[in-house]
Amino acid sequence: MDSVESQVYIIIFSTLFLGGIMSTFVISMVFIHRQRQAQNQQKLDHIKSEHEKTLLNIENEIQQETLTHIGRELHDNIGQLLSLAKLNFGSIKPEKQEEGKNILSQAIQEVRGLSKQLNLDWVESISINEFVAQQLTKIQNTGFCETTLEAEFDLVDLPKDQKLVLIRVIQESLNNAIKHASPDHLKIEMRSIDGKRQILIKDDGKGFDSTQKSNGSGMYNLKKRMETIGGGFDLTSVVGKGTEINLTLPN
């Protein structure tokens, strides 16, 4: 009888012991799962915060770029139109007076066009294709270099965050080419390669050794900005043979 009781006690103890181990294991797994959930939520909150911060910085930079452009236009273009109108109005000839009115009307249209750029509403109404075409036309009109646009697709109905990032990255890439590359030709290609939409920004300028680590943060910032929208940024350059920037768009 003692032997039977001992076996029963052993079985009960073993059952309780195993139950305790299983309970401890389950509680530990639940605790670990909740910890991971909390960590993942923190990561998501951080990513969201960084994304919003990046977009805010980009909006500010685009506004600054726009104000700089408006300042140049007011001085170089509209200022000259108003001076020319004044000269024509100073004449007693009817044809000069009429020409002055036409020039003044042109200046008013230019001012209205610039006023629309003072906020970011224009971002909503313009496609990336239109924006790229406008940027290249501005560059070519300055006489700085020749420009070409080749597009296999139209980028329309992009989410605002993707559009803002693309606009700023393209702006900065073109600015860098103008400032540092001294190219004879700037070319932008919008192509579908292996099922991925890409924007290629090419120049035939000075180029540089892209294998050497740069002291600046410009290229790194552009790469990080493309990553915030799920895209990619790749740069290749050869001394004396120009630079190519490849922007891979998010799916």
Side-chain angles (χ1 to χ4, degrees), residues 199-211:
I199 299 176
L200 308 175
I201 304 170
K202 304 178 180 181
D203 71 67
D204 61 356
K206 296 177 181 178
F208 60 95
D209 187 353
S210 57
T211 63

Side-chain angles (χ1 to χ4, degrees), residues 36-238:
R36 286 178 178 171
Q37 275 188 322
Q39 289 172 351
N40 288 337
Q41 187 60 48
Q42 285 180 342
K43 287 180 181 177
L44 287 173
D45 290 342
H46 178 70
I47 291 170
K48 184 179 178 182
S49 175
E50 285 296 310
H51 183 68
E52 290 173 351
K53 185 178 176 182
T54 297
L55 289 181
L56 181 60
N57 288 337
I58 287 172
E59 287 182 359
N60 288 335
E61 288 172 7
I62 291 176
Q63 286 173 336
Q64 280 298 122
E65 186 87 11
T66 300
L67 288 172
T68 301
H69 166 68
I70 288 174
R72 283 197 300 263
E73 286 295 301
L74 287 172
H75 180 271
D76 299 338
N77 184 20
I78 295 173
Q80 289 182 2
L81 286 173
L82 292 176
S83 296
L84 192 57
K86 182 181 177 182
L87 285 174
N88 281 278
F89 283 133
S91 173
I92 59 172
K93 295 180 180 179
E95 62 270 22
K96 290 292 183 181
Q97 294 277 335
E98 189 61 32
E99 187 176 346
K101 290 179 183 178
N102 292 333
I103 294 171
L104 188 58
S105 295
Q106 184 183 345
I108 291 170
Q109 291 298 320
E110 294 282 345
V111 171
R112 285 175 178 168
L114 291 175
S115 68
K116 293 178 182 178
Q117 299 180 39
L118 287 174
N119 54 45
L120 291 180
D121 290 346
W122 61 271
V123 172
E124 299 283 356
S125 61
I126 195 172
S127 71
I128 293 298
N129 297 62
E130 291 169 332
F131 172 76
V132 169
Q134 286 180 6
Q135 294 298 299
L136 293 180
T137 299
K138 285 179 186 177
I139 292 170
Q140 180 146 336
N141 286 344
T142 65
F144 180 80
C145 70
E146 293 295 315
T147 63
T148 305
L149 170 61
E150 295 180 2
E152 292 181 353
F153 53 81
D154 289 324
L155 276 175
V156 294
D157 298 329
L158 282 178
K160 186 179 179 181
D161 61 338
Q162 292 184 16
K163 190 183 284 189
L164 279 170
V165 169
L166 281 172
I167 282 175
R168 188 57 191 148
V169 170
I170 292 168
Q171 270 184 342
E172 195 62 23
S173 298
L174 292 174
N175 287 342
N176 286 336
I178 291 169
K179 289 178 184 176
H180 306 297
S182 301
D184 293 321
H185 191 212
L186 264 172
K187 183 178 183 180
I188 293 184
E189 300 176 8
M190 301 173 69
R191 307 221 179 268
S192 293
I193 302 173
D194 297 329
K196 294 183 178 180
R197 294 179 301 177
Q198 299 181 353
I199 299 176
L200 308 175
I201 304 170
K202 304 178 180 181
D203 71 67
D204 61 356
K206 296 177 181 178
F208 60 95
D209 187 353
S210 57
T211 63
Q212 296 294 317
K213 187 175 180 180
S214 172
N215 292 326
S217 59
M219 294 299 109
Y220 174 79
N221 287 339
L222 296 182
K223 180 180 175 66
K224 293 299 291 183
R225 287 177 171 186
M226 287 300 298
E227 288 174 356
T228 64
I229 59 170
F233 177 96
D234 187 56
L235 180 147
T236 55
S237 187
V238 178

